[in-house]
């Protein structure tokens, strides 16, 4: 072995030069150590990849574990300890079944609600949110307003479509991927036999007819009580000539640029005076200062009109 410092020959395996005393590099030992080091690094990387695979396979995403749950008409993976309760539905017409659920349990911010319908279209989602990306057959949209952001995952099923709302993109994407609407036809048959699954939240109960394509928002009012438990009521005027026609109404409420609700679409029928009467699903922690009204046809697939209304953040009735 030659000394790199003075060039003197030394015996194999020597650690120091016999002439100058400088350290000697044992190339064979170094190669063996480097090889061992690479093997250890490869093993650590393989274990890390395996651990990630186990986590994904187990349904744990960002600390949120999922489990399969059966709803009436469909199945889907949902966060463990979540509690999705029926918020609204429209089942009097088997060709237009629409149900909405809100999370009243754990992980409300990860996934705070979803809507399922056999006429629920991606256009409805795209009208109010910005397309973000696709994950297979799942379309992810971003809904953002003054820093307040949430996502919507849309999936087209065989008999029904679903849109899931939440802050955790990974969670709502996996929920959408697990959506199985195999039993939705049975739900439609139940409706056709005049056995509605639930009642709609609209205050109108008169017989309905398909909505015209020329309906417009002509005016109306918003009313909110002074107590925290009071809901917000909307009275939207579309004209007495549309009495008996069925539409779907969506109202987004916000305060200081932050949304207060989930913008659920509510099937409703025009009353004899030409008004659409709906109430918010819940009371809000703040009085809204802005409302965006979207009026759709009875199937919820075509936007008929939209109206933005600025409100004073107080109780009482405000006309527009």
């Amino acid at each position: 072995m030659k000394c790199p410092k003075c060039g003197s020959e030394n015996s194999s395996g020597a650690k120091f030069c016999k002439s100058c005393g400088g350290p000697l590099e044992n190339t064979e030992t170094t190669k063996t150590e480097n090889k061992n080091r690479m093997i250890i690094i490869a093993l650590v990387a393989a274990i890390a990849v395996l651990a990630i695979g186990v986590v994904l396979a187990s349904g744990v995403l960002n600390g949120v574990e999922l489990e399969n749950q059966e709803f009436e008409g469909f199945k889907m993976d949902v966060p463990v300890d979540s509690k999705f309760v029926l918020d609204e539905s429209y089942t009097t017409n088997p060709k237009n079944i629409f149900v909405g659920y809100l999370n009243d349990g754990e992980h409300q911010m990860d996934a705070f609600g979803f809507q399922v319908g056999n006429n629920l279209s991606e256009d409805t989602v795209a009208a109010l949110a910005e397309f973000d990306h696709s994950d297979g057959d799942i379309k992810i949209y971003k809904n953002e307003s003054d820093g307040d952001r949430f996502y919507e995952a849309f999936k087209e099923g065989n008999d029904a479509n679903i849109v899931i709302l939440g802050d955790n993109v990974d969670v709502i994407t996996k929920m959408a991927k697990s959506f199985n609407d195999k039993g939705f036809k049975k739900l439609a048959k139940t409706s056709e036999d005049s056995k509605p699954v639930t009642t709609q939240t609209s205050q109108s109960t008169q017989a309905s007819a398909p909505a015209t394509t020329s309906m417009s928002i002509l005016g109306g009012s918003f009313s909110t009580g002074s107590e925290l438990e009071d809901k917000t009521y909307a009275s939207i005027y579309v004209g007495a000539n549309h009495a008996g026609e069925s539409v779907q109404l969506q109202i987004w409420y916000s305060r200081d640029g932050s949304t207060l609700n989930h913008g659920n679409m509510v099937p409703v029928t025009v009353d004899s005076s030409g008004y659409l009467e709906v109430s918010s699903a819940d009371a809000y922690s703040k009085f809204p200062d802005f409302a965006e009204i979207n009026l759709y046809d009875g199937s919820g697939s075509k936007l008929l009109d939209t109206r933005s209304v600025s409100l004073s953040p107080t109780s009482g009735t405000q006309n527009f």
Side-chain angles (χ1 to χ4, degrees):
M1 180 185 297
K2 182 177 291 187
C3 176
K5 184 175 181 181
C6 67
S8 299
E9 289 291 338
N10 293 271
S11 60
S12 178
K15 295 184 178 180
F16 299 95
C17 179
K18 63 182 180 181
S19 297
C20 68
L24 301 175
E25 180 180 0
N26 190 327
T27 56
E28 293 301 322
T29 301
T30 302
K31 289 180 179 179
T32 300
E33 291 176 348
N34 289 338
K35 183 177 180 180
N36 291 338
R37 186 178 296 111
M38 293 302 295
I39 291 174
I40 292 173
I41 292 174
L43 285 174
V44 171
I47 292 172
V49 171
L50 180 61
I52 293 174
V54 170
V55 168
L56 292 177
S58 65
V60 179
L61 297 168
N62 295 336
V64 181
E65 184 179 357
L66 304 182
E67 63 181 1
N68 194 260
Q69 182 173 335
E70 185 170 351
F71 298 86
E72 189 162 14
F74 59 94
K75 299 178 181 179
M76 182 172 61
D77 290 344
V78 299
V80 174
D81 295 327
S82 62
K83 183 182 178 182
F84 286 94
V85 295
L86 194 64
D87 177 55
E88 60 190 46
S89 70
Y90 181 71
T91 58
T92 58
N93 183 352
K95 295 183 179 180
N96 181 28
I97 299 178
F98 178 90
V99 292
Y101 286 80
L102 291 177
N103 185 1
D104 195 33
E106 300 296 324
H107 306 293
Q108 291 185 11
M109 298 308 296
D110 294 302
F112 45 75
F114 60 84
Q115 300 167 345
V116 182
N118 53 0
N119 271 315
L120 180 63
S121 71
E122 186 178 352
D123 291 339
T124 303
V125 180
L128 295 169
E130 176 185 356
F131 178 75
D132 192 74
H133 68 277
S134 295
D135 189 337
D137 60 346
I138 311 301
K139 303 292 182 63
I140 306 298
Y141 285 82
K142 179 172 60 177
N143 202 314
E144 191 170 20
S145 176
D146 293 341
D148 185 25
R149 174 190 302 175
F150 65 91
Y151 295 89
E152 303 180 37
F154 177 85
K155 179 182 180 180
E156 184 174 336
N158 295 320
D159 300 317
N161 301 334
I162 186 171
V163 57
I164 308 171
L165 294 78
D167 289 344
N168 194 323
V169 177
D170 293 335
V171 169
I172 64 173
T173 300
K174 186 153 188 177
M175 288 175 64
K177 287 184 176 181
S178 70
F179 175 65
N180 184 337
D181 61 352
K182 188 176 181 180
F184 210 79
K185 282 185 176 179
K186 184 178 179 181
L187 190 64
K189 184 64 170 59
T190 301
S191 174
E192 194 170 21
D193 292 339
S194 300
K195 299 175 182 177
V197 177
T198 60
T199 58
Q200 66 185 62
T201 57
S202 164
Q203 295 177 348
S204 177
T205 58
Q206 67 185 60
S208 60
T212 179
T213 57
S214 60
M215 188 181 295
S216 301
I217 300 171
L218 304 178
S221 64
F222 290 95
S223 300
T224 305
S226 58
E227 303 296 330
L228 289 177
E229 62 271 17
D230 290 335
K231 297 181 179 182
T232 298
Y233 294 87
S235 182
I236 312 300
Y237 183 66
V238 295
N241 57 310
H242 294 294
E245 296 181 6
S246 60
V247 295
Q248 293 200 36
L249 193 64
Q250 180 183 52
I251 303 178
W252 289 92
Y253 293 103
S254 62
R255 173 68 178 270
D256 299 326
S258 299
T259 55
L260 299 175
N261 65 329
H262 304 315
N264 295 324
M265 294 178 65
V266 180
V268 60
T269 303
V270 183
D271 65 20
S272 59
S273 299
Y275 282 89
L276 300 169
E277 304 284 351
V278 294
S279 67
S280 59
D282 301 294
Y284 304 131
S285 58
K286 300 177 181 178
F287 291 114
D289 62 5
F290 185 82
E292 180 177 301
I293 311 167
N294 295 303
L295 178 65
Y296 292 87
D297 65 1
S299 68
S301 60
K302 182 176 181 179
L303 183 65
L304 302 178
D305 197 12
T306 184
R307 185 80 170 265
S308 297
V309 181
S310 295
L311 302 170
S312 298
T314 59
S315 61
T317 299
Q318 302 179 55
N319 298 316
F320 66 92

